[in-house]
Amino acid sequence: AAASNCGTSIRDGSYTSNTAIGGKYSAFGGAVSVWYLAVASNCRTTISAGTYTRNIANGGVYSASGGAVSVWFHAESSHCGIIIDAGIFTNNTALGGGGNAYGGAVNVWFHVEASSCSTSITSDTYTHNTANGMEAGAFGGAVSVWFGAEAIDCAVDMTSCDFMSNHAVAAGANGGALLVNFGCIPTQGQAPTCPSSQRTHLLVLNSTFSYNTASSLGGALVVLGLGNTSNTQNSLTEFMIAVDNCTFEYNHVDSTGGAVALVLAALTASTVRFGHSNFTFNSAGQLGGAVAVLAPLNAGVLQQSSYTWSNSTLQLNLVGANGNTASYGGALAVDASSHVGLQLLVECLEATENAARASGGAVLLVATPAGNVHSSFYKCV
């Protein structure tokens, strides 16, 4: 039966040293797990002002989702929402055994089609949370939000949050603090079949990310804007990422995107914007000491030879980058070698004392052929 006009509200309270243990199945929510198993319409989950400490979702030989809190929409959902407000999340762990770990503190998952659904996270503090994938992958050291299939008119809004010393741990660990996925996640050797998303957005405002770490992508933040990577023309449409008035400092990744990694396929009428934000002393072992933008990979191999950006722009406006380091692109690295039509607009990038061990002490822009990318740099006034 379908669920409609329903809700779950959890307010205040202290949740300490609780454990969800996977046996025959995966583990969900070390302290709190909310499931919508049937088709859901106008359903909301509100989690407000609680304290969550040392909770564990232990997947055993399976995956683990949400060391403290897991919210899962298993079937189609419309006009549904999750609100997490004024919570304190400390030392929680999602521990995957034979499967992945999602969200060291919080995991939200829209498993199939979602329309007009939202996730709002406001005034939360996340400290020393870990997504540990053991022998598999890890996604979001503190928070993971997934749209596993088509998403239409959906939003993830994060305001006035503090992420400190969270970690995504595994050989393939992504998003030391936060990971947001829009679209399909390809399985090696298999083409994803879901359609692309429309009018979805991620907004991160007035938040601080410091001392977070990951091994593969994004020491602090990863956005996967993959759409349907089996079809280069099936793009994310009217898609937006906006990061404004945020601070990223001392985050580290072993590979790509010391603070932020954006993995973006084809985009149509879309905008990716960083404004009025500062990136200080972040580091990457390979690409983009502060920010890296690249195309989707599957086991290190491009999904397609090219992805078209149509009427879409990557913007940096009034951004400060100081003391960031990488092998390629000490502050910013844009690998557009597989993007066609990418528009790069940089308005007042104040880059000082960044360093690259190989190429691009401040900025590295890879465009092959050169006509793939249109870039404009404007001075500060």
Side-chain angles (χ1 to χ4, degrees), residues 39-241:
V39 173
S41 176
N42 293 303
C43 294
R44 293 201 170 271
T45 297
T46 300
I47 298 174
S48 181
T51 299
Y52 298 80
T53 308
R54 296 190 304 277
N55 301 288
I56 300 175
N58 186 342
V61 297
Y62 297 99
S63 63
S65 298
V69 174
S70 173
V71 181
W72 188 287
F73 290 87
H74 187 71
E76 292 88 350
S77 54
S78 64
H79 298 90
C80 293
I82 298 95
I83 299 170
I84 303 176
D85 175 65
I88 299 174
F89 297 83
T90 307
N91 286 317
N92 301 286
T93 303
L95 182 63
N100 296 326
Y102 303 96
V106 174
N107 182 63
V108 176
W109 198 307
F110 296 91
H111 187 58
V112 293
E113 290 83 358
S115 63
S116 301
C117 292
S118 64
T119 300
S120 176
I121 300 176
T122 305
S123 301
D124 285 350
T125 300
Y126 297 88
T127 308
H128 294 293
N129 301 287
T130 303
N132 189 341
M134 303 289 284
E135 299 177 1
F139 301 91
V143 177
S144 170
V145 181
W146 289 74
F147 293 91
E150 183 178 40
I152 298 176
D153 294 312
C154 291
V156 179
D157 295 330
M158 182 164 295
T159 306
S160 301
C161 291
D162 188 8
F163 294 84
M164 183 174 181
S165 297
N166 302 285
H167 309 289
V169 179
N174 306 285
L178 170 65
L179 182 142
V180 181
N181 168 65
F182 296 96
C184 301
I185 294 299
T187 301
Q188 188 172 356
Q190 300 179 15
T193 58
C194 72
S196 55
S197 298
Q198 302 177 43
R199 297 181 301 277
T200 56
H201 79 247
L202 167 66
L203 179 62
V204 183
L205 289 177
N206 305 321
S207 295
T208 300
F209 299 79
S210 55
Y211 296 97
N212 304 286
T213 66
S215 65
S216 184
L217 295 170
L221 167 64
V222 172
V223 180
L224 304 177
L226 303 185
N228 185 347
T229 54
S230 65
N231 183 341
T232 59
Q233 300 309 312
N234 197 0
S235 63
L236 292 165
T237 302
E238 297 182 49
F239 176 64
M240 184 187 74
I241 300 171

Side-chain angles (χ1 to χ4, degrees), residues 309-337:
W309 281 33
S310 175
N311 192 29
S312 298
T313 307
L314 170 63
Q315 301 177 2
L316 279 76
N317 178 254
L318 293 172
V319 170
N322 177 64
N324 304 286
T325 60
S327 292
Y328 301 91
L332 169 66
V334 179
D335 183 357
S337 56

